[in-house]
Amino acid sequence: MDHVDCMIMNALQKNGRISMNKLAESIPMSVPATCERVRKLEDNGAIAGYTVSLSPMLLGKTINAFILFACNIGEIDKVREFLNQDHRVISAHFLAGKYTMMLEVSCTDMNEYLDLIQILFPLGTSESYIQIECIKERFYDLLLEE
């Protein structure tokens, strides 16, 4: 990857719906050359896909939290099945350390959140952190060498 690829990926992270014309202007490159660069980044997996970022509060999700979870021995299959089926679990990550995973959850209210915790309780140990504010969204700030 070179400087131009980094510029393209930084721009697409900020606005995945940017037109190829505007993207080409910002680089600057021709539109066909820009399209070809984007296609190559997609083909080699550097750009894994495009997504929509949703606002939990506008969707009625007033309780957003991170749960550190240590799965009981022998319960991992039940936990995996539950995590893959439950709509409140936004993401789940295996960890190295005291906790085996970190869950990101989004619930309509405290009752829905407590219901989720009660389901997890017999499967392992958890520690919850309610989100107050999102300071920074996931963004890879690719180094641009001058």
Side-chain angles (χ1 to χ4, degrees):
M1 279 193 332
D2 63 10
H3 179 73
V4 174
D5 290 335
C6 291
M7 289 174 59
I8 289 170
M9 289 189 292
N10 281 339
L12 287 172
Q13 284 183 105
K14 291 174 186 167
N15 180 4
R17 296 182 64 184
I18 190 171
S19 72
M20 286 298 124
N21 288 336
K22 287 195 188 272
L23 181 59
E25 286 174 18
S26 73
I27 296 177
M29 284 181 79
S30 70
V31 174
T34 301
C35 291
E36 180 63 17
R37 286 279 191 133
V38 170
R39 187 193 59 75
K40 283 181 181 177
L41 289 168
E42 291 169 345
D43 288 348
N44 74 20
I47 296 175
Y50 298 88
T51 186
V52 173
S53 180
L54 303 175
S55 171
M57 292 299 273
L58 292 177
L59 297 172
K61 305 293 185 179
T62 61
I63 305 293
N64 297 286
F66 296 92
I67 301 172
L68 294 172
F69 187 75
C71 188
N72 289 339
I73 294 172
E75 300 290 4
I76 192 67
D77 291 336
K78 286 182 189 174
V79 172
R80 278 182 185 265
E81 184 179 338
F82 170 73
L83 297 177
N84 284 318
Q85 292 178 1
D86 196 280
H87 70 278
R88 297 167 291 194
V89 179
I90 305 304
S91 66
H93 308 268
F94 272 113
L95 304 175
K98 178 181 176 182
Y99 293 98
T100 48
M101 57 185 69
M102 181 176 70
L103 313 176
E104 182 179 4
V105 301
S106 190
C107 300
T108 306
D109 56 27
M110 188 55 77
N111 288 333
E112 187 178 55
Y113 176 74
L114 291 173
D115 178 63
L116 174 66
I117 295 300
Q118 288 175 358
I119 293 168
L120 290 172
F121 184 76
L123 301 173
T125 305
S126 66
E127 193 172 309
S128 295
Y129 297 89
I130 304 290
Q131 179 183 337
I132 303 298
E133 174 186 13
C134 180
I135 298 168
K136 180 179 180 181
E137 291 287 345
R138 182 177 170 173
F139 182 86
Y140 295 95
D141 192 11
L142 301 172
L143 298 175
L144 299 175
E145 298 173 11
E146 295 298 324

